[in-house]
């Protein structure tokens, strides 16, 4: 007897096989004829499988007739063709073993639909719902595509550190890692906390981006990517910010900004294409239950070419749009989600790559544009904006000229000594190079149409929330 997953047992090819399969009860319905229909799900697919349990099974009266949603069971029996709607197969049970019941009085996931807000309080049970199962399967498919894409293009996956001393984005949004006793930390003569006596002998933090370390490896090995958790202590309670999120960051030596744009476009097309091909059942669910524009939005990604628009032109479009924005737009301002959504949802109606942003709103490492107007200095930054989410990718060509880099660092009040190794990459065999970061959760939001980022990661970390 083979152990089968629900998704395998649902395939017509499984008809006739004797199988063993386990999962959690979604519903039970008793027929007048003295038998029961039990729908079970094991997370392998959105769809359940129907089990028919006969009244003459030895535990029928004592256990099977009391099975309620959330109970866990193992069924042995034969897969048969089913005449039921939406199912090719069903299981005729020879035995049903009950592992654990779930008291219907107290089990939170009853048949009625719960809001996503409510489900966030049950992070330990929400993966058992249709929506979270589908999100996690799609999230997993996206991760697989990320690795497949880069591996097939001969990128090396480089593991950059989680604990670091450098603030890549220069925004001061780092979580400090410390073993010092907060009630009584060692202090220097000036009364400041003395990090020299901490675990690493200096202040250290959770990384906000693996980019700077990624540049080290790209400028030796050519094409690399990092993929792992990153952390931002930004106190923004929005539907697209997390304190802990996953980022994939390719970095490529000898790439200019336009190469970087092409890489980002090919990369996003590949992921979306894979999901549309392989996650049909889950994607139909998102289309029907979450957002009926989901599939059309994704087909624009695989079908069309991404528009490439200079920041200055985007500002003009926004200024002329006649829209009333909460945050006013003018050249030099950072774009807010509402602006990004106007551009992608109403103006271009497709993903857009904005580039050449004002130098003042971008980090020190981006390459300065020599041909910019003197009163409007810009850097070779690029953001990929998508309908529904806004920015999903941020990247740039990196400043490879030591003098320009150091001038930018001074402008931004950075301590040059702390970046000595980053500067040496420009002193020893410097090369043009570029890269970008894709926020995994924003990508999952874009692909599924889920509106809140807290609902596309198993355990969302947001201000005031790190329970489990
Ligand atoms: O634009 P960001 O800040 O760029 C960087 O970190 C660069 N060092 C990347 C690089 O060039 N290698 O972040 C990149 C992406 C954003 O476009 C967004 O998708 C995501 O990371 N992101 C967040 N996702 C969730 N919660 C947050 N707080 C995020 N901050 C950024
Ligand atoms: Mg950004």
């Amino acid at each position: 007897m083979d152990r089968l997953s629900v998704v395998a047992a649902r395939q017509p090819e499984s008809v006739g096989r004797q199988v063993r399969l386990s999962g959690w009860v979604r519903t039970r319905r008793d027929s007048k004829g003295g038998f029961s229909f039990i729908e079970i799900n094991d997370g392998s697919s959105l769809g359940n499988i129907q089990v028919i349990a006969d009244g003459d099974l030895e535990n029928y009266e004592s256990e099977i007739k009391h099975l309620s949603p959330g109970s866990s069971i193992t069924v042995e029996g034969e897969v048969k063709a089913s005449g039921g709607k939406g199912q090719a197969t069903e299981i005729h049970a020879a035995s049903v073993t009950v592992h654990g019941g779930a008291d219907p009085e107290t089990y939170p996931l009853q048949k009625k639909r719960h809001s996503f807000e409510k489900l966030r309080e049950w992070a330990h049970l929400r993966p058992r719902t249709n929506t979270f199962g589908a999100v996690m399967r799609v999230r997993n498919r996206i991760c697989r595509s990320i690795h497949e894409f880069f591996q097939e293009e001969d990128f090396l996956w480089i593991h950059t550190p989680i604990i670091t001393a450098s603030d890549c984005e220069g925004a001061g949004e780092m979580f400090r890692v410390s073993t010092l006793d907060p009630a009584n930390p060692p202090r220097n003569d000036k009364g400041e906390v003395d990090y020299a006596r901490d675990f690493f002998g200096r202040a250290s933090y959770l990384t906000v981006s693996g980019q700077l370390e990624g540049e080290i490896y790209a400028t030796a090995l050519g094409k690399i990517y990092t993929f792992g958790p990153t952390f931002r202590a930004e106190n923004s309670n929005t539907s697209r910010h997390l304190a802990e999120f996953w980022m994939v960051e390719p970095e490529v030596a000898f790439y200019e900004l336009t190469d970087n744009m092409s890489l980002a476009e090919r990369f996003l097309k590949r992921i979306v294409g894979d999901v549309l091909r392989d996650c049909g059942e889950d994607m139909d669910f998102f289309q029907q239950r979450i957002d009926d524009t989901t599939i059309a939005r994704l087909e624009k990604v695989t079908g069309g070419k991404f528009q490439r628009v200079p920041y200055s032109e985007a500002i003009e479009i926004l200024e002329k749009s006649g829209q009333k924005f909460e945050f006013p737009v003018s050249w030099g301002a950072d774009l807010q989600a509402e602006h990004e959504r106007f551009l992608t949802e109403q103006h271009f109606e497709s993903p857009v790559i904005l580039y050449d942003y004002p130098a003042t709103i971008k980090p020190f490492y981006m390459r300065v544009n020599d041909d910019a107007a003197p009163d409007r200095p810009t850097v070779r930054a690029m953001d990929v904006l998508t309908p529904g989410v806004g920015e999903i990718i941020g990247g740039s060509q990196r400043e490879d000229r030591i003098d320009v880099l150091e001038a930018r660092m001074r402008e931004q009040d950075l301590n040059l000594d702390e970046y000595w190794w980053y500067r040496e990459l420009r002193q020893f065999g410097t090369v043009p190079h570029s890269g970008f970061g894709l926020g995994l959760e924003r990508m999952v939001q874009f692909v599924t149409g889920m509106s809140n980022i807290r609902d596309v990661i198993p355990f969302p970390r947001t201000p005031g929330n790190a329970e489990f």
Side-chain angles (χ1 to χ4, degrees), residues 80-154:
K80 298 210 169 167
S82 168
K85 190 166 155 270
Q87 56 185 32
T89 65
E90 59 192 22
I91 311 282
H92 288 226
S95 76
V96 174
T97 307
V98 179
H99 302 288
D103 181 355
E105 296 295 316
T106 50
Y107 184 59
L109 302 180
Q110 295 304 325
K111 211 136 196 250
K112 87 182 211 8
R113 273 213 229 166
H114 298 283
S115 68
F116 292 138
E117 286 81 4
K118 191 78 211 155
L119 288 174
R120 274 174 227 145
E121 294 171 19
W122 301 321
H124 61 310
L125 295 174
R126 69 177 187 168
R128 297 187 189 183
T129 63
N130 283 336
T131 306
F132 287 88
V135 166
M136 290 309 139
R137 284 184 295 273
V138 169
R139 183 181 165 108
N140 177 70
R141 187 64 190 86
I142 292 173
C143 294
R144 202 178 119 196
S145 292
I146 288 170
H147 283 298
E148 284 170 354
F149 175 84
F150 287 120
Q151 294 293 333
E152 286 165 20
E153 297 221 1
D154 296 328

Coordinates of all heavy atoms in Angstrom, one line a residue, residues 80-154:
K80 N -11.1 5.5 -6.3 CA -12.1 5.1 -7.3 C -12.5 6.4 -8.1 O -12.4 7.5 -7.6 CB -13.4 4.6 -6.7 CG -13.1 3.3 -5.9 CD -14.3 2.4 -6.0 CE -13.9 1.0 -5.4 NZ -15.1 0.2 -5.1
A81 N -12.9 6.2 -9.4 CA -13.4 7.3 -10.2 C -14.6 7.9 -9.5 O -15.4 7.1 -8.9 CB -13.7 6.9 -11.6
S82 N -14.8 9.2 -9.5 CA -15.9 9.8 -8.9 C -16.8 10.5 -9.9 O -16.3 11.2 -10.8 CB -15.4 10.8 -7.8 OG -16.5 11.6 -7.4
G83 N -18.1 10.4 -9.6 CA -19.0 11.2 -10.5 C -19.3 12.6 -9.9 O -20.0 13.4 -10.5
G84 N -18.7 12.8 -8.8 CA -19.0 14.1 -8.1 C -18.4 15.3 -8.9 O -17.5 15.2 -9.6
K85 N -19.1 16.5 -8.6 CA -18.7 17.7 -9.3 C -17.3 18.2 -8.8 O -17.0 18.2 -7.7 CB -19.7 18.8 -9.1 CG -19.6 20.0 -9.9 CD -20.9 20.8 -9.8 CE -20.6 22.3 -10.1 NZ -20.2 23.1 -8.9
G86 N -16.4 18.5 -9.8 CA -15.1 19.1 -9.4 C -14.2 18.0 -8.8 O -13.2 18.4 -8.2
Q87 N -14.4 16.8 -8.9 CA -13.5 15.8 -8.4 C -13.4 14.6 -9.4 O -14.5 14.1 -9.7 CB -13.8 15.4 -7.0 CG -15.2 14.8 -6.8 CD -15.6 14.5 -5.4 OE1 -15.1 15.2 -4.5 NE2 -16.4 13.5 -5.2
A88 N -12.2 14.2 -9.7 CA -12.1 13.0 -10.6 C -12.1 11.7 -9.8 O -12.5 10.7 -10.3 CB -10.8 13.1 -11.4
T89 N -11.7 11.8 -8.6 CA -11.5 10.6 -7.8 C -12.1 10.7 -6.4 O -12.3 11.8 -5.9 CB -10.0 10.2 -7.6 OG1 -9.4 11.2 -6.9 CG2 -9.3 10.1 -9.0
E90 N -12.2 9.6 -5.7 CA -12.6 9.6 -4.3 C -12.0 8.3 -3.7 O -11.5 7.5 -4.4 CB -14.1 9.7 -4.1 CG -14.8 8.5 -4.8 CD -16.3 8.7 -4.8 OE1 -16.8 9.8 -4.8 OE2 -17.1 7.7 -5.0
I91 N -12.0 8.3 -2.4 CA -11.4 7.1 -1.7 C -12.5 6.3 -1.0 O -13.3 6.9 -0.3 CB -10.4 7.5 -0.6 CG1 -9.4 8.6 -1.1 CG2 -9.7 6.3 0.0 CD1 -8.3 8.0 -1.9
H92 N -12.5 5.1 -1.2 CA -13.5 4.2 -0.5 C -12.7 3.6 0.6 O -11.8 2.8 0.4 CB -14.1 3.1 -1.4 CG -15.1 3.8 -2.4 ND1 -16.3 3.2 -2.6 CD2 -15.0 4.9 -3.1 CE1 -17.0 4.0 -3.5 NE2 -16.2 5.1 -3.8
A93 N -13.0 4.0 1.8 CA -12.1 3.7 3.0 C -12.3 2.2 3.4 O -13.4 1.7 3.6 CB -12.4 4.6 4.1
A94 N -11.2 1.5 3.7 CA -11.2 0.2 4.3 C -10.9 0.4 5.8 O -11.3 -0.4 6.6 CB -10.1 -0.7 3.7
S95 N -10.3 1.5 6.1 CA -10.1 1.9 7.6 C -9.9 3.4 7.7 O -9.3 4.0 6.8 CB -8.9 1.1 8.2 OG -7.7 1.7 7.7
V96 N -10.3 3.9 8.8 CA -10.0 5.3 9.1 C -9.5 5.4 10.6 O -10.1 4.9 11.5 CB -11.3 6.1 9.1 CG1 -11.1 7.6 9.6 CG2 -12.0 6.1 7.7
T97 N -8.2 5.8 10.7 CA -7.6 6.0 12.0 C -7.7 7.4 12.4 O -7.3 8.3 11.7 CB -6.1 5.5 11.9 OG1 -6.1 4.2 11.3 CG2 -5.5 5.5 13.3
V98 N -8.2 7.6 13.6 CA -8.3 9.0 14.1 C -7.1 9.3 15.0 O -6.9 8.6 15.9 CB -9.6 9.2 14.9 CG1 -9.7 10.7 15.4 CG2 -10.8 8.9 14.0
H99 N -6.3 10.3 14.6 CA -5.2 10.7 15.4 C -5.5 11.7 16.5 O -5.1 11.6 17.6 CB -4.1 11.4 14.5 CG -3.6 10.5 13.4 ND1 -2.8 9.4 13.6 CD2 -3.8 10.6 12.1 CE1 -2.6 8.8 12.5 NE2 -3.2 9.5 11.5
G100 N -6.3 12.7 16.1 CA -6.7 13.7 17.1 C -8.0 14.4 16.7 O -8.2 14.7 15.6
G101 N -8.9 14.6 17.7 CA -10.1 15.3 17.4 C -9.8 16.8 17.5 O -8.7 17.2 17.8
A102 N -10.9 17.6 17.2 CA -10.8 19.1 17.4 C -12.2 19.5 17.8 O -13.1 19.5 17.0 CB -10.4 19.7 16.1
D103 N -12.3 19.9 19.1 CA -13.5 20.2 19.7 C -14.2 21.3 18.9 O -13.7 22.4 18.8 CB -13.3 20.6 21.1 CG -14.6 20.9 21.8 OD1 -15.7 20.9 21.2 OD2 -14.5 21.2 23.1
P104 N -15.4 21.1 18.3 CA -16.1 22.1 17.5 C -16.5 23.3 18.3 O -16.7 24.4 17.8 CB -17.3 21.4 17.0 CG -17.4 20.1 17.6 CD -16.1 19.8 18.3
E105 N -16.5 23.1 19.6 CA -16.9 24.3 20.5 C -15.7 25.3 20.6 O -15.9 26.5 20.8 CB -17.2 23.8 21.9 CG -18.4 22.9 22.1 CD -19.7 23.7 21.7 OE1 -19.8 24.8 22.1 OE2 -20.5 23.1 21.0
T106 N -14.5 24.8 20.5 CA -13.4 25.6 20.7 C -12.4 25.8 19.5 O -11.6 26.7 19.4 CB -12.5 25.1 21.9 OG1 -12.2 23.7 21.7 CG2 -13.2 25.3 23.2
Y107 N -12.5 24.9 18.5 CA -11.7 25.0 17.3 C -12.0 26.3 16.5 O -13.2 26.4 16.1 CB -11.8 23.8 16.4 CG -10.9 23.7 15.2 CD1 -9.5 23.8 15.4 CD2 -11.4 23.6 13.9 CE1 -8.7 23.7 14.3 CE2 -10.6 23.6 12.8 CZ -9.2 23.7 13.0 OH -8.4 23.6 11.9
P108 N -11.1 27.2 16.3 CA -11.5 28.5 15.8 C -11.9 28.5 14.3 O -12.7 29.3 13.9 CB -10.2 29.3 15.9 CG -9.3 28.6 16.9 CD -9.7 27.2 16.7
L109 N -11.4 27.5 13.5 CA -11.6 27.6 12.1 C -12.9 26.8 11.7 O -12.8 25.7 11.1 CB -10.4 27.0 11.3 CG -9.1 27.6 11.5 CD1 -8.0 27.0 10.7 CD2 -9.1 29.1 11.2
Q110 N -14.0 27.4 12.0 CA -15.3 26.8 11.7 C -15.6 27.2 10.2 O -14.9 28.0 9.6 CB -16.4 27.2 12.7 CG -16.1 26.7 14.1 CD -16.0 25.1 14.1 OE1 -16.6 24.4 13.4 NE2 -15.1 24.7 15.0
K111 N -16.7 26.6 9.7 CA -17.0 26.8 8.3 C -17.1 28.3 7.9 O -16.8 28.6 6.8 CB -18.3 26.1 8.0 CG -18.2 25.6 6.6 CD -18.6 24.3 6.1 CE -17.9 24.2 4.7 NZ -18.8 24.2 3.6
K112 N -17.6 29.1 8.8 CA -17.7 30.5 8.3 C -16.4 31.2 8.0 O -15.3 30.7 8.5 CB -18.4 31.3 9.4 CG -17.5 32.0 10.5 CD -18.4 32.7 11.5 CE -17.9 33.9 12.2 NZ -16.9 34.7 12.1
R113 N -16.4 32.1 7.1 CA -15.2 32.8 6.7 C -14.7 33.8 7.7 O -15.5 34.5 8.3 CB -15.4 33.5 5.4 CG -15.2 32.7 4.2 CD -14.6 33.5 3.1 NE -15.4 33.2 1.9 CZ -15.3 33.9 0.8 NH1 -14.6 35.0 0.7 NH2 -16.0 33.6 -0.3
H114 N -13.4 33.8 8.0 CA -12.9 34.7 8.9 C -12.1 35.8 8.2 O -11.6 35.6 7.1 CB -11.9 34.0 9.9 CG -12.6 33.0 10.7 ND1 -13.4 33.3 11.8 CD2 -12.6 31.6 10.6 CE1 -13.8 32.1 12.3 NE2 -13.4 31.1 11.6
S115 N -12.1 37.0 8.8 CA -11.3 38.1 8.1 C -9.8 37.7 8.3 O -9.4 37.0 9.2 CB -11.6 39.4 8.8 OG -11.0 39.4 10.1
F116 N -9.0 38.3 7.4 CA -7.6 38.1 7.5 C -7.0 38.7 8.8 O -6.1 38.2 9.3 CB -6.9 38.7 6.2 CG -7.2 37.9 5.0 CD1 -7.4 38.6 3.8 CD2 -7.2 36.5 5.0 CE1 -7.7 37.9 2.6 CE2 -7.5 35.8 3.8 CZ -7.8 36.5 2.6
E117 N -7.6 39.8 9.2 CA -7.2 40.4 10.5 C -7.3 39.3 11.6 O -6.4 39.1 12.4 CB -8.0 41.6 10.9 CG -7.7 42.8 10.1 CD -8.4 42.8 8.7 OE1 -9.2 41.9 8.4 OE2 -8.2 43.8 7.9
K118 N -8.5 38.7 11.6 CA -8.8 37.7 12.7 C -7.8 36.5 12.5 O -7.2 36.1 13.5 CB -10.2 37.2 12.5 CG -10.7 36.4 13.7 CD -11.1 37.3 14.8 CE -10.9 36.5 16.1 NZ -10.7 37.5 17.2
L119 N -7.6 36.1 11.3 CA -6.7 35.0 11.1 C -5.2 35.2 11.6 O -4.5 34.3 12.0 CB -6.7 34.5 9.7 CG -8.0 33.8 9.2 CD1 -7.9 33.6 7.7 CD2 -8.2 32.5 9.9
R120 N -4.8 36.5 11.5 CA -3.5 36.9 12.0 C -3.3 36.5 13.5 O -2.2 36.3 13.9 CB -3.2 38.4 11.7 CG -2.7 38.6 10.4 CD -2.5 40.1 10.1 NE -3.1 40.4 8.8 CZ -3.8 41.5 8.5 NH1 -3.9 42.4 9.3 NH2 -4.3 41.6 7.3
E121 N -4.4 36.5 14.2 CA -4.3 36.2 15.6 C -4.0 34.7 15.8 O -3.7 34.2 16.9 CB -5.5 36.6 16.4 CG -5.7 38.1 16.4 CD -7.1 38.5 17.0 OE1 -7.8 37.6 17.6 OE2 -7.5 39.6 16.7
W122 N -4.3 33.9 14.7 CA -4.1 32.5 14.8 C -3.0 32.0 13.8 O -3.3 31.2 12.9 CB -5.4 31.8 14.4 CG -6.6 32.1 15.3 CD1 -6.6 32.3 16.7 CD2 -8.0 32.3 14.9 NE1 -7.8 32.6 17.1 CE2 -8.7 32.6 16.1 CE3 -8.6 32.3 13.7 CZ2 -10.1 32.9 16.1 CZ3 -10.0 32.5 13.7 CH2 -10.7 32.8 14.9
A123 N -1.9 32.6 14.0 CA -0.8 32.3 13.0 C -0.4 30.8 13.1 O 0.1 30.3 12.2 CB 0.5 33.1 13.3
H124 N -0.8 30.1 14.1 CA -0.6 28.7 14.3 C -1.6 27.8 13.5 O -1.4 26.7 13.3 CB -0.5 28.3 15.7 CG -1.7 28.5 16.5 ND1 -2.4 29.7 16.5 CD2 -2.4 27.7 17.3 CE1 -3.5 29.6 17.3 NE2 -3.5 28.4 17.8
L125 N -2.8 28.4 13.2 CA -3.8 27.6 12.6 C -4.1 28.1 11.1 O -4.7 27.4 10.3 CB -5.1 27.7 13.4 CG -5.0 27.0 14.8 CD1 -6.2 27.2 15.6 CD2 -4.7 25.5 14.6
R126 N -3.8 29.4 10.8 CA -4.2 29.9 9.5 C -3.6 29.1 8.3 O -4.3 29.1 7.3 CB -4.0 31.4 9.4 CG -2.5 31.8 9.4 CD -2.4 33.4 9.2 NE -1.0 33.7 9.0 CZ -0.6 34.9 8.6 NH1 -1.5 35.9 8.3 NH2 0.7 35.1 8.4
P127 N -2.5 28.5 8.5 CA -2.0 27.7 7.3 C -3.0 26.6 6.9 O -2.9 26.0 5.8 CB -0.7 27.1 7.7 CG -0.5 27.4 9.1 CD -1.4 28.5 9.5
R128 N -4.0 26.3 7.8 CA -4.9 25.2 7.4 C -6.1 25.8 6.6 O -7.0 25.0 6.3 CB -5.5 24.6 8.7 CG -4.5 23.9 9.5 CD -5.2 23.2 10.7 NE -4.2 22.7 11.6 CZ -4.6 22.0 12.7 NH1 -5.8 21.7 12.9 NH2 -3.6 21.5 13.5
T129 N -6.1 27.1 6.3 CA -7.2 27.6 5.5 C -6.8 27.6 4.0 O -5.6 27.5 3.7 CB -7.5 29.1 5.9 OG1 -6.3 29.9 5.6 CG2 -7.8 29.3 7.4
N130 N -7.8 27.7 3.2 CA -7.5 27.6 1.7 C -6.6 28.7 1.3 O -5.7 28.5 0.5 CB -8.9 27.7 1.0 CG -9.6 26.5 1.0 OD1 -9.1 25.4 1.1 ND2 -10.9 26.6 0.8
T131 N -6.9 29.9 1.8 CA -6.1 31.1 1.3 C -4.6 30.9 1.7 O -3.7 31.1 0.8 CB -6.6 32.4 1.9 OG1 -8.0 32.5 1.6 CG2 -5.9 33.6 1.3
F132 N -4.3 30.5 2.9 CA -2.9 30.5 3.3 C -2.2 29.3 2.7 O -1.0 29.4 2.4 CB -2.8 30.6 4.9 CG -3.1 32.0 5.3 CD1 -4.4 32.4 5.5 CD2 -2.1 32.9 5.3 CE1 -4.7 33.7 5.9 CE2 -2.4 34.3 5.6 CZ -3.7 34.6 5.9
G133 N -2.9 28.2 2.5 CA -2.3 27.1 1.8 C -1.9 27.5 0.4 O -0.8 27.3 0.0
A134 N -2.8 28.2 -0.3 CA -2.5 28.6 -1.6 C -1.4 29.6 -1.6 O -0.5 29.6 -2.5 CB -3.8 29.3 -2.3
V135 N -1.4 30.6 -0.7 CA -0.3 31.6 -0.6 C 1.1 30.9 -0.5 O 2.1 31.2 -1.1 CB -0.5 32.6 0.5 CG1 0.8 33.4 0.8 CG2 -1.7 33.5 0.2
M136 N 1.1 29.9 0.5 CA 2.4 29.2 0.7 C 2.9 28.4 -0.4 O 4.1 28.3 -0.7 CB 2.3 28.4 2.0 CG 2.2 29.3 3.3 SD 3.5 30.6 3.3 CE 2.5 31.9 3.9
R137 N 1.9 27.8 -1.1 CA 2.4 27.0 -2.3 C 2.9 27.9 -3.4 O 3.9 27.6 -4.0 CB 1.2 26.1 -2.8 CG 0.9 24.9 -2.0 CD -0.1 24.0 -2.6 NE -1.4 24.6 -2.6 CZ -2.3 24.6 -1.6 NH1 -2.0 24.0 -0.5 NH2 -3.4 25.3 -1.7
V138 N 2.2 29.1 -3.6 CA 2.7 30.0 -4.6 C 4.1 30.6 -4.2 O 5.0 30.8 -5.0 CB 1.7 31.1 -4.9 CG1 2.2 32.2 -5.8 CG2 0.5 30.4 -5.6
R139 N 4.1 31.0 -2.9 CA 5.4 31.5 -2.4 C 6.6 30.5 -2.6 O 7.6 30.9 -3.1 CB 5.2 31.8 -0.9 CG 6.4 32.5 -0.2 CD 6.2 32.7 1.3 NE 7.4 33.0 1.9 CZ 7.8 34.2 2.4 NH1 7.0 35.2 2.3 NH2 9.0 34.4 2.9
N140 N 6.3 29.3 -2.4 CA 7.3 28.3 -2.6 C 7.7 28.2 -4.1 O 8.9 28.1 -4.4 CB 6.8 26.9 -2.1 CG 7.8 25.8 -2.3 OD1 8.9 25.8 -1.7 ND2 7.5 24.9 -3.3
R141 N 6.7 28.3 -4.9 CA 7.0 28.2 -6.4 C 7.8 29.3 -6.8 O 8.7 29.2 -7.7 CB 5.7 28.1 -7.2 CG 5.9 27.8 -8.7 CD 6.5 26.4 -8.9 NE 7.0 26.1 -10.2 CZ 8.2 26.4 -10.6 NH1 9.1 27.1 -9.9 NH2 8.6 26.1 -11.9
I142 N 7.6 30.5 -6.2 CA 8.3 31.7 -6.6 C 9.8 31.5 -6.1 O 10.7 31.8 -6.9 CB 7.7 33.0 -5.9 CG1 6.4 33.3 -6.6 CG2 8.7 34.2 -6.0 CD1 5.6 34.4 -5.9
C143 N 10.0 31.0 -4.9 CA 11.4 30.8 -4.4 C 12.1 29.8 -5.3 O 13.3 30.0 -5.6 CB 11.3 30.3 -3.0 SG 10.7 31.5 -1.8
R144 N 11.4 28.8 -5.8 CA 12.0 27.8 -6.6 C 12.5 28.4 -7.9 O 13.6 28.2 -8.4 CB 11.1 26.6 -6.9 CG 11.8 25.4 -7.3 CD 10.7 24.3 -7.5 NE 10.8 23.8 -8.8 CZ 9.8 23.1 -9.4 NH1 8.7 22.8 -8.7 NH2 9.9 22.7 -10.6
S145 N 11.6 29.3 -8.5 CA 11.9 29.9 -9.8 C 13.1 30.9 -9.6 O 13.9 31.0 -10.5 CB 10.7 30.8 -10.2 OG 9.6 30.0 -10.6
I146 N 13.1 31.5 -8.5 CA 14.3 32.5 -8.2 C 15.6 31.7 -8.3 O 16.5 32.1 -9.1 CB 14.1 33.1 -6.8 CG1 13.0 34.1 -6.9 CG2 15.4 33.8 -6.4 CD1 12.5 34.7 -5.5
H147 N 15.6 30.6 -7.6 CA 16.9 29.8 -7.7 C 17.1 29.2 -9.1 O 18.2 29.3 -9.6 CB 16.9 28.7 -6.7 CG 17.2 29.1 -5.3 ND1 18.3 29.8 -4.9 CD2 16.4 29.1 -4.1 CE1 18.3 30.1 -3.6 NE2 17.1 29.7 -3.1
E148 N 16.1 28.7 -9.7 CA 16.2 28.1 -11.0 C 16.7 29.2 -12.0 O 17.6 28.9 -12.8 CB 14.9 27.5 -11.5 CG 14.6 26.2 -10.9 CD 13.2 25.7 -11.1 OE1 12.4 26.4 -11.7 OE2 12.9 24.6 -10.7
F149 N 16.1 30.3 -12.0 CA 16.5 31.4 -12.9 C 18.0 31.7 -12.8 O 18.7 31.7 -13.8 CB 15.6 32.6 -12.7 CG 16.0 33.8 -13.5 CD1 15.5 34.0 -14.8 CD2 16.9 34.8 -13.0 CE1 15.9 35.1 -15.6 CE2 17.3 35.9 -13.8 CZ 16.8 36.0 -15.1
F150 N 18.4 32.0 -11.6 CA 19.8 32.4 -11.4 C 20.8 31.3 -11.7 O 21.8 31.4 -12.2 CB 20.0 33.1 -10.1 CG 19.4 34.5 -10.0 CD1 18.4 34.8 -9.1 CD2 19.8 35.4 -10.9 CE1 17.9 36.0 -9.0 CE2 19.2 36.7 -10.9 CZ 18.3 37.0 -9.9
Q151 N 20.4 30.1 -11.2 CA 21.3 28.9 -11.4 C 21.5 28.6 -12.9 O 22.6 28.4 -13.4 CB 20.8 27.7 -10.6 CG 20.8 27.9 -9.1 CD 22.2 27.9 -8.5 OE1 23.2 27.4 -9.1 NE2 22.4 28.6 -7.4
E152 N 20.3 28.7 -13.6 CA 20.4 28.4 -15.1 C 21.3 29.5 -15.8 O 21.8 29.2 -16.8 CB 19.0 28.3 -15.7 CG 18.3 27.0 -15.3 CD 16.8 27.0 -15.6 OE1 16.4 27.9 -16.4 OE2 16.1 26.2 -15.0
E153 N 21.3 30.7 -15.2 CA 22.1 31.7 -15.8 C 23.5 31.8 -15.2 O 24.2 32.8 -15.4 CB 21.4 33.1 -15.7 CG 20.1 33.1 -16.4 CD 19.8 34.5 -17.2 OE1 20.7 35.4 -17.1 OE2 18.8 34.6 -17.8
D154 N 23.9 30.7 -14.5 CA 25.3 30.6 -14.0 C 25.6 31.7 -12.9 O 26.8 32.0 -12.8 CB 26.3 30.6 -15.1 CG 26.2 29.4 -16.0 OD1 25.7 28.3 -15.4 OD2 26.4 29.5 -17.2

